[in-house]
Amino acid sequence: MILLSAKPVVQKRRAELLAKTDAIKKRLGRAPHLSVILIGDDPASQVYVDRKANAAMKVGFTSETIRFPKDISANAVLKRVRELNSEKKVDGILIQRPLPPQLREKDVSLWVDPAKDVDCLHPENIGLLVTGNPRFMPCTPGGILLLLDHYGITIEGKTVCVIGRSAIVGKPLASLLLSRNASLIQVHRSTPDAASLCKLGDLVFVAAGSKGLLKRNWLKPGSVVVDVGIHRDGAGKITGDVDTESIADLPMALTPVPGGVGPMTIQVLLENTFTAASRQG
Ligand code: NAD
């Protein structure tokens, strides 16, 4: 079993980004800036926004986390987003998901100025991605491709299986894989016998949010598995969507959880923020 750790990729790309940030600071007279909006007190969301702020600081960006209580009105959040949209020194805006029920995804995805939508969730940016001309990389799918590229894993011509079809992972990932000339199988909750279809995949991407779903009988030997899932147990232990015990003796490559897709997602968020800043002026 080969583990595809994010660590060397992130170390290398962070150092490159730090150097580029030094250069852009001279041009803009300020650092790239990321504004993160956190609504409510979900502990996992809190961890993610802290990690994003910390990572931004490490590459020389400035960042702020704007916190709202979970019962905040949609209008109050929209007002703040509009202010951020018009603030020149703000390059990237991210509204942390999941959203509370009074904020509807279909509305919120339209709020952030597409030029500052570093999470790549605005329909305009999704349209650009699907038509092969992305303005920003979707963070998690983009991070997965950077990870595979770093380890020299070919996508072109491969049969790939994506488990899940969410707007944040499954759909944009499918789009990127097609743009890299893979042959795509996509399964979801309504797919009968997803395991048999998945077994055809040379590369398998699991983003089901179902702990330990992917077992040995879903895979063929020699496959590359990307585990997107994140599950925290009561003791704080983090695991993914792959049942690692059942596949332990299978010759294959796997992204670890933690230390695989998660850090790559943050890396792409930073790179998108840099891209947004470099387009300013
Ligand atoms: P989601 O709940 O929005 O979507 C899950 C998808 O998986 C759905 O399309 C559903 O149909 C499919 N699915 C569920 N059970 C299935 C089954 N038994 N067989 C086949 N398909 C099934 O989830 P999401 O937002 O895409 O997130 C998925 C997982 O990835 C979660 O654990 C989430 O925490 C994690 N995640 C990690 C990162 C990261 O940076 N590492 C980023 C985003 C999400």
Short mmCIF file of all heavy atoms in Angstrom, two decimals, residues 114-179:
data_model
loop_
_atom_site.label_atom_id
_atom_site.label_comp_id
_atom_site.label_asym_id
_atom_site.label_seq_id
_atom_site.Cartn_x
_atom_site.Cartn_y
_atom_site.Cartn_z
N PRO A 114 -18.29 36.97 -8.35
CA PRO A 114 -17.57 35.85 -8.97
C PRO A 114 -16.06 36.05 -9.03
O PRO A 114 -15.30 35.09 -8.94
CB PRO A 114 -18.17 35.77 -10.38
CG PRO A 114 -19.53 36.38 -10.25
CD PRO A 114 -19.43 37.43 -9.17
N ALA A 115 -15.60 37.31 -9.11
CA ALA A 115 -14.15 37.57 -9.17
C ALA A 115 -13.47 37.33 -7.81
O ALA A 115 -12.26 37.25 -7.74
CB ALA A 115 -13.91 39.01 -9.62
N LYS A 116 -14.29 37.25 -6.74
CA LYS A 116 -13.73 37.01 -5.40
C LYS A 116 -14.16 35.64 -4.85
O LYS A 116 -13.90 35.31 -3.70
CB LYS A 116 -14.20 38.11 -4.44
CG LYS A 116 -13.74 39.49 -4.84
CD LYS A 116 -14.03 40.53 -3.76
CE LYS A 116 -13.50 41.90 -4.20
NZ LYS A 116 -13.55 42.90 -3.11
N ASP A 117 -14.82 34.85 -5.68
CA ASP A 117 -15.42 33.57 -5.25
C ASP A 117 -14.36 32.47 -5.25
O ASP A 117 -14.37 31.55 -6.07
CB ASP A 117 -16.58 33.25 -6.21
CG ASP A 117 -17.16 31.87 -6.01
OD1 ASP A 117 -17.28 31.45 -4.85
OD2 ASP A 117 -17.48 31.22 -7.03
N VAL A 118 -13.45 32.55 -4.26
CA VAL A 118 -12.30 31.63 -4.23
C VAL A 118 -12.69 30.20 -3.84
O VAL A 118 -11.86 29.30 -3.91
CB VAL A 118 -11.19 32.18 -3.31
CG1 VAL A 118 -10.50 33.37 -3.96
CG2 VAL A 118 -11.74 32.57 -1.93
N ASP A 119 -13.94 30.00 -3.42
CA ASP A 119 -14.44 28.65 -3.15
C ASP A 119 -15.03 28.03 -4.42
O ASP A 119 -15.42 26.86 -4.44
CB ASP A 119 -15.54 28.74 -2.08
CG ASP A 119 -15.45 27.63 -1.05
OD1 ASP A 119 -14.49 26.84 -1.14
OD2 ASP A 119 -16.33 27.56 -0.17
N CYS A 120 -15.14 28.83 -5.49
CA CYS A 120 -15.65 28.40 -6.79
C CYS A 120 -17.04 27.76 -6.69
O CYS A 120 -17.27 26.66 -7.18
CB CYS A 120 -14.65 27.44 -7.46
SG CYS A 120 -14.95 27.22 -9.23
N LEU A 121 -17.97 28.49 -6.06
CA LEU A 121 -19.33 27.97 -5.91
C LEU A 121 -20.37 28.82 -6.65
O LEU A 121 -21.53 28.42 -6.75
CB LEU A 121 -19.70 27.89 -4.42
CG LEU A 121 -18.94 26.83 -3.62
CD1 LEU A 121 -19.27 26.93 -2.14
CD2 LEU A 121 -19.27 25.43 -4.14
N HIS A 122 -19.96 29.99 -7.16
CA HIS A 122 -20.91 30.83 -7.89
C HIS A 122 -21.26 30.14 -9.22
O HIS A 122 -20.35 29.61 -9.90
CB HIS A 122 -20.29 32.20 -8.16
CG HIS A 122 -21.28 33.21 -8.65
ND1 HIS A 122 -21.84 33.16 -9.91
CD2 HIS A 122 -21.83 34.29 -8.05
CE1 HIS A 122 -22.69 34.17 -10.07
NE2 HIS A 122 -22.70 34.86 -8.95
N PRO A 123 -22.55 30.13 -9.60
CA PRO A 123 -22.93 29.46 -10.85
C PRO A 123 -22.12 29.92 -12.07
O PRO A 123 -21.84 29.12 -12.96
CB PRO A 123 -24.42 29.81 -11.01
CG PRO A 123 -24.89 30.05 -9.62
CD PRO A 123 -23.72 30.63 -8.86
N GLU A 124 -21.73 31.20 -12.08
CA GLU A 124 -20.92 31.69 -13.20
C GLU A 124 -19.57 30.95 -13.24
O GLU A 124 -19.09 30.54 -14.31
CB GLU A 124 -20.69 33.19 -13.04
CG GLU A 124 -19.93 33.81 -14.20
CD GLU A 124 -19.75 35.31 -14.01
OE1 GLU A 124 -20.74 36.03 -13.70
OE2 GLU A 124 -18.61 35.79 -14.16
N ASN A 125 -18.98 30.78 -12.07
CA ASN A 125 -17.67 30.09 -12.01
C ASN A 125 -17.81 28.60 -12.30
O ASN A 125 -16.92 27.99 -12.90
CB ASN A 125 -17.01 30.35 -10.66
CG ASN A 125 -16.51 31.78 -10.57
OD1 ASN A 125 -16.21 32.40 -11.59
ND2 ASN A 125 -16.46 32.31 -9.36
N ILE A 126 -18.94 28.02 -11.88
CA ILE A 126 -19.16 26.61 -12.19
C ILE A 126 -19.34 26.44 -13.71
O ILE A 126 -18.81 25.52 -14.32
CB ILE A 126 -20.38 26.06 -11.41
CG1 ILE A 126 -20.06 26.07 -9.90
CG2 ILE A 126 -20.76 24.65 -11.87
CD1 ILE A 126 -21.23 25.83 -9.00
N GLY A 127 -20.07 27.40 -14.31
CA GLY A 127 -20.26 27.36 -15.76
C GLY A 127 -18.92 27.45 -16.49
O GLY A 127 -18.66 26.71 -17.45
N LEU A 128 -18.05 28.35 -16.03
CA LEU A 128 -16.72 28.49 -16.66
C LEU A 128 -15.91 27.21 -16.50
O LEU A 128 -15.21 26.79 -17.42
CB LEU A 128 -15.97 29.67 -16.03
CG LEU A 128 -16.47 31.06 -16.44
CD1 LEU A 128 -15.85 32.15 -15.57
CD2 LEU A 128 -16.17 31.32 -17.91
N LEU A 129 -16.05 26.57 -15.34
CA LEU A 129 -15.32 25.32 -15.10
C LEU A 129 -15.81 24.22 -16.05
O LEU A 129 -15.01 23.55 -16.71
CB LEU A 129 -15.55 24.90 -13.64
CG LEU A 129 -15.03 23.54 -13.24
CD1 LEU A 129 -13.51 23.57 -13.13
CD2 LEU A 129 -15.63 23.09 -11.91
N VAL A 130 -17.13 24.09 -16.13
CA VAL A 130 -17.70 23.01 -16.94
C VAL A 130 -17.41 23.21 -18.43
O VAL A 130 -17.25 22.24 -19.17
CB VAL A 130 -19.23 22.90 -16.66
CG1 VAL A 130 -19.91 21.93 -17.61
CG2 VAL A 130 -19.48 22.49 -15.22
N THR A 131 -17.31 24.49 -18.84
CA THR A 131 -17.02 24.74 -20.25
C THR A 131 -15.52 24.78 -20.53
O THR A 131 -15.10 25.17 -21.62
CB THR A 131 -17.70 26.04 -20.73
OG1 THR A 131 -17.36 27.09 -19.82
CG2 THR A 131 -19.21 25.89 -20.79
N GLY A 132 -14.73 24.41 -19.56
CA GLY A 132 -13.29 24.23 -19.79
C GLY A 132 -12.45 25.49 -19.71
O GLY A 132 -11.34 25.52 -20.23
N ASN A 133 -13.00 26.55 -19.07
CA ASN A 133 -12.26 27.81 -18.99
C ASN A 133 -12.32 28.35 -17.56
O ASN A 133 -12.82 29.45 -17.32
CB ASN A 133 -12.93 28.79 -19.98
CG ASN A 133 -12.16 30.09 -20.09
OD1 ASN A 133 -10.96 30.14 -19.85
ND2 ASN A 133 -12.88 31.16 -20.42
N PRO A 134 -11.84 27.57 -16.58
CA PRO A 134 -12.08 27.93 -15.17
C PRO A 134 -11.44 29.25 -14.75
O PRO A 134 -10.32 29.54 -15.14
CB PRO A 134 -11.47 26.76 -14.38
CG PRO A 134 -10.57 26.06 -15.33
CD PRO A 134 -11.06 26.33 -16.71
N ARG A 135 -12.21 30.02 -13.98
CA ARG A 135 -11.66 31.26 -13.39
C ARG A 135 -10.90 30.89 -12.12
O ARG A 135 -9.84 31.43 -11.85
CB ARG A 135 -12.82 32.20 -13.06
CG ARG A 135 -12.38 33.50 -12.43
CD ARG A 135 -13.57 34.34 -12.00
NE ARG A 135 -14.02 35.24 -13.04
CZ ARG A 135 -15.30 35.45 -13.35
NH1 ARG A 135 -16.26 34.80 -12.72
NH2 ARG A 135 -15.63 36.30 -14.30
N PHE A 136 -11.47 29.98 -11.33
CA PHE A 136 -10.81 29.45 -10.14
C PHE A 136 -10.94 27.93 -10.17
O PHE A 136 -11.88 27.40 -10.77
CB PHE A 136 -11.50 29.95 -8.85
CG PHE A 136 -11.36 31.42 -8.63
CD1 PHE A 136 -12.48 32.25 -8.66
CD2 PHE A 136 -10.12 31.99 -8.38
CE1 PHE A 136 -12.36 33.62 -8.45
CE2 PHE A 136 -9.99 33.36 -8.17
CZ PHE A 136 -11.11 34.18 -8.20
N MET A 137 -10.01 27.26 -9.49
CA MET A 137 -10.13 25.81 -9.32
C MET A 137 -11.09 25.54 -8.16
O MET A 137 -10.99 26.19 -7.11
CB MET A 137 -8.77 25.21 -8.95
CG MET A 137 -7.91 24.88 -10.12
SD MET A 137 -8.62 23.52 -11.06
CE MET A 137 -8.71 24.25 -12.65
N PRO A 138 -12.02 24.59 -8.31
CA PRO A 138 -12.81 24.20 -7.13
C PRO A 138 -11.83 23.59 -6.11
O PRO A 138 -10.97 22.79 -6.51
CB PRO A 138 -13.79 23.16 -7.69
CG PRO A 138 -13.18 22.70 -8.98
CD PRO A 138 -12.29 23.78 -9.49
N CYS A 139 -11.92 24.00 -4.85
CA CYS A 139 -10.81 23.74 -3.91
C CYS A 139 -10.50 22.26 -3.72
O CYS A 139 -9.34 21.84 -3.89
CB CYS A 139 -11.09 24.41 -2.58
SG CYS A 139 -11.14 26.21 -2.73
N THR A 140 -11.51 21.46 -3.36
CA THR A 140 -11.21 20.05 -3.08
C THR A 140 -10.84 19.29 -4.37
O THR A 140 -9.78 18.64 -4.41
CB THR A 140 -12.38 19.39 -2.32
OG1 THR A 140 -12.56 20.12 -1.10
CG2 THR A 140 -12.11 17.95 -1.99
N PRO A 141 -11.65 19.38 -5.43
CA PRO A 141 -11.26 18.67 -6.66
C PRO A 141 -9.92 19.16 -7.22
O PRO A 141 -9.10 18.35 -7.67
CB PRO A 141 -12.41 18.99 -7.63
CG PRO A 141 -13.58 19.28 -6.74
CD PRO A 141 -13.00 19.98 -5.55
N GLY A 142 -9.69 20.46 -7.17
CA GLY A 142 -8.42 20.99 -7.68
C GLY A 142 -7.25 20.47 -6.86
O GLY A 142 -6.19 20.12 -7.41
N GLY A 143 -7.44 20.38 -5.55
CA GLY A 143 -6.38 19.86 -4.68
C GLY A 143 -6.09 18.40 -4.98
O GLY A 143 -4.92 17.96 -4.94
N ILE A 144 -7.13 17.64 -5.28
CA ILE A 144 -6.95 16.22 -5.62
C ILE A 144 -6.07 16.08 -6.87
O ILE A 144 -5.15 15.27 -6.92
CB ILE A 144 -8.32 15.53 -5.81
CG1 ILE A 144 -9.05 15.44 -4.47
CG2 ILE A 144 -8.17 14.16 -6.47
CD1 ILE A 144 -10.52 15.02 -4.57
N LEU A 145 -6.35 16.91 -7.87
CA LEU A 145 -5.55 16.82 -9.10
C LEU A 145 -4.09 17.20 -8.85
O LEU A 145 -3.17 16.55 -9.37
CB LEU A 145 -6.13 17.70 -10.22
CG LEU A 145 -7.48 17.29 -10.80
CD1 LEU A 145 -7.66 17.92 -12.18
CD2 LEU A 145 -7.68 15.79 -10.90
N LEU A 146 -3.87 18.23 -8.02
CA LEU A 146 -2.48 18.61 -7.70
C LEU A 146 -1.75 17.45 -7.02
O LEU A 146 -0.58 17.20 -7.28
CB LEU A 146 -2.45 19.83 -6.78
CG LEU A 146 -2.91 21.18 -7.34
CD1 LEU A 146 -2.79 22.26 -6.27
CD2 LEU A 146 -2.09 21.56 -8.56
N LEU A 147 -2.46 16.77 -6.14
CA LEU A 147 -1.87 15.64 -5.41
C LEU A 147 -1.50 14.50 -6.37
O LEU A 147 -0.38 13.97 -6.32
CB LEU A 147 -2.88 15.16 -4.35
CG LEU A 147 -2.41 14.16 -3.31
CD1 LEU A 147 -1.35 14.78 -2.41
CD2 LEU A 147 -3.58 13.69 -2.45
N LEU A 148 -2.43 14.15 -7.25
CA LEU A 148 -2.16 13.07 -8.20
C LEU A 148 -1.02 13.45 -9.15
O LEU A 148 -0.15 12.63 -9.44
CB LEU A 148 -3.43 12.73 -9.01
CG LEU A 148 -4.60 12.16 -8.19
CD1 LEU A 148 -5.80 11.90 -9.10
CD2 LEU A 148 -4.21 10.89 -7.45
N ASP A 149 -1.02 14.70 -9.59
CA ASP A 149 0.05 15.16 -10.49
C ASP A 149 1.41 15.06 -9.79
O ASP A 149 2.39 14.63 -10.39
CB ASP A 149 -0.20 16.61 -10.94
CG ASP A 149 -1.37 16.72 -11.90
OD1 ASP A 149 -1.82 15.67 -12.42
OD2 ASP A 149 -1.86 17.85 -12.12
N HIS A 150 1.44 15.46 -8.54
CA HIS A 150 2.72 15.43 -7.81
C HIS A 150 3.28 14.00 -7.78
O HIS A 150 4.49 13.81 -7.89
CB HIS A 150 2.50 15.94 -6.37
CG HIS A 150 3.72 15.81 -5.51
ND1 HIS A 150 4.68 16.79 -5.43
CD2 HIS A 150 4.17 14.79 -4.72
CE1 HIS A 150 5.65 16.40 -4.62
NE2 HIS A 150 5.37 15.19 -4.17
N TYR A 151 2.41 13.02 -7.60
CA TYR A 151 2.87 11.63 -7.50
C TYR A 151 2.95 10.94 -8.87
O TYR A 151 3.13 9.72 -8.95
CB TYR A 151 1.97 10.84 -6.54
CG TYR A 151 2.25 11.19 -5.09
CD1 TYR A 151 1.44 12.07 -4.39
CD2 TYR A 151 3.37 10.68 -4.43
CE1 TYR A 151 1.71 12.42 -3.07
CE2 TYR A 151 3.65 11.02 -3.11
CZ TYR A 151 2.83 11.88 -2.45
OH TYR A 151 3.12 12.22 -1.15
N GLY A 152 2.78 11.72 -9.93
CA GLY A 152 2.95 11.18 -11.28
C GLY A 152 1.87 10.18 -11.67
O GLY A 152 2.11 9.28 -12.48
N ILE A 153 0.68 10.35 -11.11
CA ILE A 153 -0.42 9.42 -11.44
C ILE A 153 -1.19 9.97 -12.64
O ILE A 153 -1.73 11.10 -12.59
CB ILE A 153 -1.34 9.22 -10.22
CG1 ILE A 153 -0.54 8.50 -9.13
CG2 ILE A 153 -2.61 8.45 -10.58
CD1 ILE A 153 -1.15 8.53 -7.77
N THR A 154 -1.24 9.19 -13.71
CA THR A 154 -1.87 9.63 -14.95
C THR A 154 -3.39 9.52 -14.84
O THR A 154 -3.92 8.54 -14.30
CB THR A 154 -1.39 8.72 -16.12
OG1 THR A 154 0.02 8.67 -16.06
CG2 THR A 154 -1.85 9.22 -17.47
N ILE A 155 -4.07 10.51 -15.37
CA ILE A 155 -5.54 10.50 -15.40
C ILE A 155 -6.03 10.19 -16.82
O ILE A 155 -6.99 9.43 -17.01
CB ILE A 155 -6.09 11.86 -14.90
CG1 ILE A 155 -5.69 12.06 -13.42
CG2 ILE A 155 -7.61 11.93 -15.06
CD1 ILE A 155 -5.91 13.47 -12.91
N GLU A 156 -5.34 10.76 -17.79
CA GLU A 156 -5.75 10.62 -19.20
C GLU A 156 -5.87 9.14 -19.58
O GLU A 156 -4.97 8.33 -19.30
CB GLU A 156 -4.72 11.30 -20.10
CG GLU A 156 -5.03 11.10 -21.57
CD GLU A 156 -4.57 12.25 -22.44
OE1 GLU A 156 -3.85 13.12 -21.96
OE2 GLU A 156 -4.98 12.25 -23.62
N GLY A 157 -7.01 8.80 -20.18
CA GLY A 157 -7.21 7.44 -20.68
C GLY A 157 -7.63 6.43 -19.61
O GLY A 157 -7.92 5.28 -19.93
N LYS A 158 -7.66 6.87 -18.35
CA LYS A 158 -8.02 5.95 -17.27
C LYS A 158 -9.54 5.91 -17.07
O LYS A 158 -10.26 6.86 -17.36
CB LYS A 158 -7.35 6.37 -15.95
CG LYS A 158 -5.83 6.33 -15.99
CD LYS A 158 -5.34 4.89 -15.96
CE LYS A 158 -3.85 4.76 -16.18
NZ LYS A 158 -3.05 5.34 -15.13
N THR A 159 -10.00 4.76 -16.57
CA THR A 159 -11.39 4.67 -16.14
C THR A 159 -11.43 5.13 -14.68
O THR A 159 -10.70 4.60 -13.85
CB THR A 159 -11.90 3.22 -16.25
OG1 THR A 159 -11.80 2.84 -17.63
CG2 THR A 159 -13.35 3.10 -15.79
N VAL A 160 -12.24 6.15 -14.42
CA VAL A 160 -12.28 6.70 -13.06
C VAL A 160 -13.70 6.57 -12.50
O VAL A 160 -14.68 6.69 -13.24
CB VAL A 160 -11.83 8.19 -13.03
CG1 VAL A 160 -10.40 8.32 -13.54
CG2 VAL A 160 -12.76 9.08 -13.82
N CYS A 161 -13.80 6.29 -11.22
CA CYS A 161 -15.11 6.24 -10.60
C CYS A 161 -15.20 7.28 -9.50
O CYS A 161 -14.34 7.32 -8.61
CB CYS A 161 -15.39 4.85 -10.03
SG CYS A 161 -17.02 4.80 -9.25
N VAL A 162 -16.20 8.15 -9.58
CA VAL A 162 -16.44 9.15 -8.53
C VAL A 162 -17.67 8.70 -7.75
O VAL A 162 -18.74 8.49 -8.33
CB VAL A 162 -16.67 10.55 -9.14
CG1 VAL A 162 -17.03 11.56 -8.05
CG2 VAL A 162 -15.44 11.01 -9.91
N ILE A 163 -17.49 8.55 -6.45
CA ILE A 163 -18.63 8.18 -5.58
C ILE A 163 -19.10 9.46 -4.90
O ILE A 163 -18.38 10.06 -4.11
CB ILE A 163 -18.19 7.13 -4.54
CG1 ILE A 163 -17.56 5.94 -5.24
CG2 ILE A 163 -19.38 6.71 -3.67
CD1 ILE A 163 -16.84 4.98 -4.29
N GLY A 164 -20.30 9.90 -5.27
CA GLY A 164 -20.84 11.16 -4.76
C GLY A 164 -21.03 12.15 -5.88
O GLY A 164 -20.31 12.12 -6.89
N ARG A 165 -22.03 13.04 -5.72
CA ARG A 165 -22.32 14.04 -6.78
C ARG A 165 -22.68 15.38 -6.15
O ARG A 165 -23.59 16.08 -6.62
CB ARG A 165 -23.45 13.54 -7.67
CG ARG A 165 -24.69 13.21 -6.89
CD ARG A 165 -25.89 12.94 -7.75
NE ARG A 165 -26.96 12.43 -6.91
CZ ARG A 165 -28.10 11.97 -7.37
NH1 ARG A 165 -28.33 11.94 -8.66
NH2 ARG A 165 -29.03 11.53 -6.55
N SER A 166 -22.03 15.74 -5.05
CA SER A 166 -22.34 17.02 -4.42
C SER A 166 -21.79 18.16 -5.27
O SER A 166 -20.89 17.97 -6.09
CB SER A 166 -21.73 17.09 -3.01
OG SER A 166 -20.32 17.14 -3.10
N ALA A 167 -22.34 19.37 -5.00
CA ALA A 167 -21.90 20.56 -5.75
C ALA A 167 -20.47 20.94 -5.39
O ALA A 167 -19.77 21.56 -6.18
CB ALA A 167 -22.84 21.72 -5.46
N ILE A 168 -20.04 20.54 -4.19
CA ILE A 168 -18.73 20.99 -3.70
C ILE A 168 -17.61 20.02 -4.07
O ILE A 168 -16.46 20.42 -4.25
CB ILE A 168 -18.83 21.26 -2.18
CG1 ILE A 168 -17.79 22.27 -1.74
CG2 ILE A 168 -18.74 20.03 -1.34
CD1 ILE A 168 -18.16 23.01 -0.48
N VAL A 169 -17.94 18.73 -4.21
CA VAL A 169 -16.90 17.75 -4.54
C VAL A 169 -17.24 16.95 -5.81
O VAL A 169 -16.57 17.08 -6.84
CB VAL A 169 -16.62 16.75 -3.38
CG1 VAL A 169 -15.40 15.90 -3.71
CG2 VAL A 169 -16.43 17.44 -2.04
N GLY A 170 -18.27 16.11 -5.74
CA GLY A 170 -18.52 15.13 -6.81
C GLY A 170 -18.68 15.73 -8.19
O GLY A 170 -18.03 15.28 -9.15
N LYS A 171 -19.53 16.76 -8.31
CA LYS A 171 -19.79 17.32 -9.66
C LYS A 171 -18.58 18.04 -10.24
O LYS A 171 -18.18 17.77 -11.37
CB LYS A 171 -21.02 18.23 -9.64
CG LYS A 171 -22.32 17.44 -9.63
CD LYS A 171 -23.50 18.37 -9.62
CE LYS A 171 -24.79 17.58 -9.43
NZ LYS A 171 -25.86 18.42 -8.90
N PRO A 172 -17.96 18.99 -9.49
CA PRO A 172 -16.79 19.64 -10.10
C PRO A 172 -15.63 18.68 -10.33
O PRO A 172 -14.87 18.84 -11.30
CB PRO A 172 -16.42 20.74 -9.08
CG PRO A 172 -17.14 20.41 -7.82
CD PRO A 172 -18.33 19.61 -8.20
N LEU A 173 -15.50 17.66 -9.48
CA LEU A 173 -14.43 16.68 -9.68
C LEU A 173 -14.65 15.92 -10.99
O LEU A 173 -13.73 15.73 -11.79
CB LEU A 173 -14.38 15.71 -8.49
CG LEU A 173 -13.34 14.60 -8.57
CD1 LEU A 173 -11.93 15.14 -8.71
CD2 LEU A 173 -13.43 13.69 -7.34
N ALA A 174 -15.90 15.52 -11.23
CA ALA A 174 -16.23 14.82 -12.47
C ALA A 174 -15.86 15.67 -13.68
O ALA A 174 -15.28 15.20 -14.67
CB ALA A 174 -17.73 14.48 -12.49
N SER A 175 -16.17 16.97 -13.58
CA SER A 175 -15.89 17.88 -14.68
C SER A 175 -14.38 17.98 -14.95
O SER A 175 -13.94 17.92 -16.11
CB SER A 175 -16.44 19.25 -14.26
OG SER A 175 -16.65 20.03 -15.34
N LEU A 176 -13.60 18.10 -13.87
CA LEU A 176 -12.14 18.20 -14.04
C LEU A 176 -11.55 16.91 -14.61
O LEU A 176 -10.66 16.94 -15.45
CB LEU A 176 -11.47 18.50 -12.70
CG LEU A 176 -11.58 19.93 -12.16
CD1 LEU A 176 -10.84 20.05 -10.83
CD2 LEU A 176 -10.99 20.92 -13.15
N LEU A 177 -12.08 15.77 -14.16
CA LEU A 177 -11.55 14.49 -14.65
C LEU A 177 -11.86 14.31 -16.14
O LEU A 177 -11.02 13.84 -16.91
CB LEU A 177 -12.13 13.33 -13.83
CG LEU A 177 -11.65 13.28 -12.37
CD1 LEU A 177 -12.50 12.30 -11.55
CD2 LEU A 177 -10.17 12.90 -12.29
N LEU A 178 -13.06 14.73 -16.54
CA LEU A 178 -13.40 14.66 -17.97
C LEU A 178 -12.49 15.57 -18.79
O LEU A 178 -12.04 15.20 -19.87
CB LEU A 178 -14.87 15.06 -18.20
CG LEU A 178 -15.92 14.03 -17.76
CD1 LEU A 178 -17.32 14.62 -17.85
CD2 LEU A 178 -15.84 12.75 -18.60
N SER A 179 -12.21 16.76 -18.21
CA SER A 179 -11.34 17.69 -18.95
C SER A 179 -9.91 17.15 -19.05
O SER A 179 -9.14 17.58 -19.90
CB SER A 179 -11.35 19.08 -18.31
OG SER A 179 -10.64 19.06 -17.09
#
